[in-house]
Amino acid sequence: MGNSIPDAGPADAAPASIHTFYSEASWIEGAAVDQLHQVAGLDGVRAVAAFPDLHPGKYGPVGSAILSERIYPPLIGNDIGCGMSLFALDLPARKLRLDKAAVKLRALEGLWDGDAAGRLVEAGLAPDLHPQALGTIGGGNHFCELQVVDRVSDDRALAEAGLAEGQLVLLVHSGSRSLGMAVFSDVDQTHEGLAAGSSEAANYLNRHNDAVAWAELNRRIIAERAASALRAALTRIADAPHNLIEALDGLYLHRKGAAKADGGLVPLAGSRDALSYLVRPTGSVPEALASLAHGSGRKYDRASMTGRAGATKSDRKQLERTSFGGYVVCEDRQLLIEEAPVAYKPSAQVLADLESAGLVTAVAALKPLLTFKKAKAEQDSADKESWKRDRKRREKS
């Protein structure tokens, strides 16, 4: 299994055009730009769009959209269908106790005990399609975050979405978990793409489409688990996958860390210590390939985060709180460090670049209150009480 971008097409083939939608103020690694040019030279690639969250990926540039005659599974990777879903909660913000909510959201850890087979069938999927993983967040940069609608830029669009300033929302970032891994592991990752109309392409796309649907259902169930823990009802506001392939005018649009932007409002995620945004795509720039940045994008890769953050126990404790007064539930020491806010680009700059390029208009800023990433799988009641006391001490300090 190779870890590099597939070989480019014939030497005499002209590379595809690359359209960039970021400014000089954005942090863009040279390695990511190199990957853009490699992808543009692949056989059958017609156009490439790159956004301000662009950063190097294992198989290709993250934060990009690629239009091609051929299908390149490595450009999507294993987390097929990964995306962001935003849900409104009917829980009044004035009744929220963040310390108690942090304990309640620990219920997201571990397997979901609901009717997985039934929900899969309702979604048009096979009842035995990785039911054990359904309703789980996963690791890496995945999360479930409780937010509040903060600064409003477009009152009308916000109202039409069923939201209001001061309302609590959930932003869920997750994907197809073990299903996507299984689909990707069965693909030859050393070839030069799958030819349109081939049996290999048809088989991959069928399984890929199932993974996309599975991932959307997964985000829904994660939100339901969180809402249940908080004793609240929820309504979905937006769902924007950012790792997928779609047919477009006889070609194939690959989105890798690029949000699907042709279906309504799109959440733009910040780090856990930065504002996220709800934006409205303008759809007025064809070169953007109906796509947007999906979030802040990494500034530093995970390997380089050791030493940049969380070097001492005190530093790691500070990573469990935010400058907004919010909480971070992440009881995996290495993950806490790898996903520290400093690892990500400023979300405000990403938004500014998208607005300057005419790709979006801002609807509202979403302030993080409580980010759940990882809790210990087993914890007895004494440990829970100790955890709550520790939270209260830090809140008073």
Side-chain angles (χ1 to χ4, degrees):
M1 182 184 300
N3 289 344
S4 61
I5 299 174
D7 292 336
D12 59 348
S17 57
I18 300 174
H19 296 277
T20 59
F21 298 95
Y22 49 79
S23 69
E24 293 183 356
S26 288
W27 176 285
I28 304 294
E29 288 187 58
V33 176
D34 290 343
Q35 287 188 339
L36 283 179
H37 287 283
Q38 287 178 287
V39 166
L42 293 178
D43 185 20
V45 170
R46 296 281 194 87
V48 178
F51 304 98
D53 55 344
L54 184 74
H55 59 279
K58 185 175 183 180
Y59 297 98
V62 181
S64 66
I66 301 103
L67 189 63
S68 174
E69 299 170 3
R70 300 173 68 82
I71 296 168
Y72 288 96
L75 295 182
I76 303 304
N78 61 278
D79 200 6
I80 303 165
C82 184
M84 307 273 184
S85 294
L86 185 70
F87 300 84
L89 296 176
D90 68 350
L91 177 67
R94 67 180 182 279
K95 293 185 177 181
L96 180 69
R97 283 285 303 274
L98 274 181
D99 55 343
K100 292 184 177 181
V103 176
K104 291 176 181 178
L105 283 193
R106 291 176 54 83
L108 291 173
E109 189 60 51
L111 302 180
W112 178 52
D113 61 1
D115 180 13
R119 295 296 294 274
L120 286 166
V121 170
E122 287 177 6
L125 300 168
D128 60 349
L129 196 63
H130 292 248
Q132 73 285 351
L134 201 61
T136 62
I137 294 175
N141 61 354
H142 292 170
F143 61 81
C144 177
E145 187 166 271
L146 179 64
Q147 305 174 330
V148 62
V149 178
D150 196 38
R151 300 193 302 265
V152 178
S153 302
D154 188 333
D155 293 284
R156 180 175 179 179
L158 190 69
E160 288 176 350
L163 291 174
E165 185 175 359
Q167 187 167 357
L168 294 176
V169 296
L170 284 173
L171 182 62
V172 178
H173 178 202
S174 192
S176 54
R177 308 290 282 114
S178 58
L179 172 58
M181 292 181 185
V183 174
F184 187 54
S185 66
D186 289 341
V187 177
D188 179 2
Q189 295 156 25
T190 62
H191 56 54
E192 296 184 352
L194 304 174
S198 67
S199 59
E200 293 84 0
N203 179 62
Y204 171 76
L205 286 177
N206 285 336
R207 298 184 67 194
H208 161 281
N209 292 343
D210 282 350
V212 171
W214 194 103
E216 181 179 351
L217 176 61
N218 190 43
R219 290 189 288 275
R220 159 69 74 169
I221 293 175
I222 291 168
E224 290 173 357
R225 294 180 71 182
S228 176
L230 297 172
R231 297 183 180 181
L234 56 77
T235 303
R236 193 174 80 174
I237 303 300
D239 181 76
H242 52 242
N243 278 359
L244 74 163
I245 299 175
E246 289 186 319
L248 179 66
D249 298 329
L251 301 173
Y252 294 96
L253 177 57
H254 302 62
R255 294 185 178 98
K256 178 59 177 177
K260 179 176 165 62
D262 54 3
L265 299 181
V266 174
L268 175 69
S271 74
R272 63 189 182 225
D273 195 24
L275 295 173
S276 294
Y277 297 94
L278 187 62
V279 301
R280 181 177 62 83
T282 64
S284 61
V285 185
E287 292 81 5
L289 302 177
S291 304
L292 293 174
H294 73 308
S296 298
R298 292 194 74 94
K299 183 176 181 179
Y300 301 115
D301 63 28
R302 291 183 173 86
S304 68
M305 282 304 297
T306 300
R308 293 187 187 275
T312 67
K313 184 176 181 180
S314 175
D315 291 340
R316 292 191 292 277
K317 288 294 183 184
Q318 290 179 5
L319 291 177
E320 295 176 0
R321 297 301 301 270
T322 73
S323 60
F324 298 100
Y327 289 92
V328 176
V329 180
C330 183
E331 295 171 0
D332 180 317
R333 173 176 169 173
Q334 189 59 35
L335 184 62
L336 184 69
I337 294 170
E338 291 175 354
E339 292 296 306
V342 70
Y344 288 88
K345 304 178 188 184
S347 55
Q349 183 59 54
V350 173
L351 174 65
D353 281 359
L354 296 177
E355 289 180 316
S356 294
L359 300 186
V360 305
T361 58
V363 175
L366 308 173
K367 183 171 70 175
L369 300 177
L370 171 58
T371 307
F372 179 89
K373 293 186 69 66
K374 181 72 176 177
K376 293 179 180 178
E378 297 293 337
Q379 189 173 46
D380 60 31
S381 58
D383 288 336
K384 290 180 181 178
E385 290 302 316
S386 176
W387 187 87
K388 286 189 282 187
R389 288 195 298 270
D390 187 48
R391 287 288 186 187
K392 289 179 180 178
R393 284 196 298 269
R394 288 199 296 274
E395 188 175 36
K396 292 178 180 178
S397 62

